[in-house]
Amino acid sequence: MFALASALLALAATSATALPTISTLTTRASTTPAQNLCGTPDDSVVIADNPWIVYNMMYNAADIVGSACTGFTGLVTGADGEQKCGWNSTWDIAEVASTSNVPKGYSFVGLTQNLENSIAAIASIPATYDWVRSNDSAYKGNVCFDFMTSDTKGDSTSSAAQELMLWLRYEGGQLPIGYAAGVVATITLYGKQWSLYQGVNTDTGITVSSLVVDQADQYYGYFAGDIKDWLLALVSQGLFTTSTFVNVGNAGMEPFYGTVSFENKLGLQINLA
Ligand SMILES: *[C@@H]1O[C@H](CO)[C@@H](O)[C@H](O)[C@H]1NC(C)=O
Ligand SMILES: *[C@@H]1O[C@H](CO)[C@@H](O)[C@H](O)[C@H]1NC(C)=O
């Protein structure tokens, strides 16, 4: 939720790279080798011939006592036969009272293709997110999707841009921006109940709208759904219209503290109408 402007600029720069537009991922190979990304504050690798960038974005690295790494483990085939991005995220971050409430960064896979189109121009954004967690301590953090929209094509940094979060799972008492202001709306989506919270990220000046799945109904390691349904649910809430642009899209986890590792497989792509 505290994604920084510099980070988003980096993503914008990436999306300008010429990459092929693809309609199916099933048979795409990649020359990108498996690797660990442990550099801070920013370390990333674009996955060749696929719509993804794997990113270790530790924008609050100065507050990390320990380490946080994101890895690309290779392309894998999911149970649905579609190609997924295999990746992992390992944090070994001491719980320090003064920074236990500070997200240390964002470990994620971002989209590099078919961004900067209006919702109306997008047919679907099929997503699957598998994760297996192994933790050796209590930890604080979430598993989420994070998208950015704006009525201006390509804008992900002005205060007119909007950051949208979908919290599939959260541990250790992590709370969304705007929590203190209370629930803005309750929404049914993907067959579950979600609470909408809104507030301005004081680091970026951007309003963040977080849909947080009910505590008792959290996802336990698997999500499948069309991300466009989430965006349309927010259109119904009046956040924007279908002519707004989807400028950034990604899925990942926000580490606060703990000794924990996640092995993930992500399917995510934007299919244009
Ligand atoms: C990801 O998994 C690979 C293969 O097991 C391992 O070598 C690597 O250290 C892991 N990286 C992270 C960040 O968890
Ligand atoms: C791992 O995390 C879960 C969920 O927060 C927690 O219930 C469990 O106690 C943790 N395991 C260890 C070894 O601390």
Side-chain angles (χ1 to χ4, degrees):
M1 77 180 106
F2 288 90
L4 287 187
S6 62
L8 298 165
L9 283 170
L11 281 178
T14 302
S15 67
T17 320
L19 291 167
T21 303
I22 53 178
S23 56
T24 175
L25 298 171
T26 310
T27 59
R28 288 277 158 172
S30 179
T31 52
T32 305
Q35 57 196 280
N36 272 344
L37 305 161
C38 300
T40 56
D42 272 337
D43 206 353
S44 64
V45 63
V46 171
I47 310 306
D49 299 322
N50 282 270
W52 303 307
I53 181 170
V54 178
Y55 220 124
N56 194 55
M57 184 183 282
M58 295 301 135
Y59 53 84
N60 280 324
D63 288 333
I64 295 180
V65 177
S67 61
C69 294
T70 305
F72 171 59
T73 55
L75 299 172
V76 289
T77 304
D80 58 5
E82 295 287 325
Q83 187 162 293
K84 316 289 180 187
C85 182
W87 64 292
N88 50 14
S89 180
T90 297
W91 338 324
D92 185 8
I93 304 174
E95 180 178 354
V96 176
S98 60
T99 61
S100 65
N101 240 349
V102 175
K104 305 306 180 289
Y106 188 37
S107 173
F108 68 95
V109 175
L111 285 169
T112 58
Q113 295 178 5
N114 290 349
L115 293 166
E116 304 186 0
N117 285 287
S118 70
I119 295 173
I122 293 173
S124 63
I125 310 178
T128 60
Y129 195 163
D130 286 86
W131 70 93
V132 176
R133 180 197 76 209
S134 321
N135 58 311
D136 293 333
S137 74
Y139 75 97
K140 182 171 180 173
N142 67 2
V143 177
C144 64
F145 285 91
D146 187 310
F147 274 60
M148 296 198 68
T149 58
S150 174
D151 289 346
T152 302
K153 183 182 173 81
D155 172 30
S156 59
T157 54
S158 87
S159 59
Q162 300 201 45
E163 182 170 358
L164 316 172
M165 298 196 77
L166 191 72
W167 289 29
L168 306 179
R169 187 162 180 84
Y170 41 102
E171 298 283 350
Q174 184 183 349
L175 299 173
I177 284 180
Y179 182 81
V183 176
V184 174
T186 304
I187 291 174
T188 302
L189 182 65
Y190 308 124
K192 292 181 185 264
Q193 294 296 116
W194 306 73
S195 296
L196 176 63
Y197 296 93
Q198 284 184 311
V200 174
N201 179 344
T202 51
D203 284 346
T204 61
I206 290 173
T207 297
V208 183
S209 298
S210 304
L211 266 189
V212 178
V213 71
D214 276 5
Q215 173 83 32
D217 212 10
Q218 297 194 56
Y219 289 84
Y220 280 79
Y222 186 67
F223 168 90
D226 185 346
I227 293 297
K228 187 179 176 185
D229 292 346
W230 166 35
L231 302 178
L232 291 177
L234 297 179
V235 168
S236 298
Q237 291 296 319
L239 269 67
F240 38 71
T241 70
T242 55
S243 58
T244 207
F245 292 90
V246 178
N247 292 328
V248 171
N250 53 63
M253 43 241 342
E254 293 179 295
F256 284 70
Y257 60 76
T259 303
V260 57
S261 137
F262 297 86
E263 291 293 329
N264 316 302
K265 287 177 222 164
L266 180 78
L268 183 65
Q269 68 183 76
I270 294 176
N271 293 328
L272 298 179

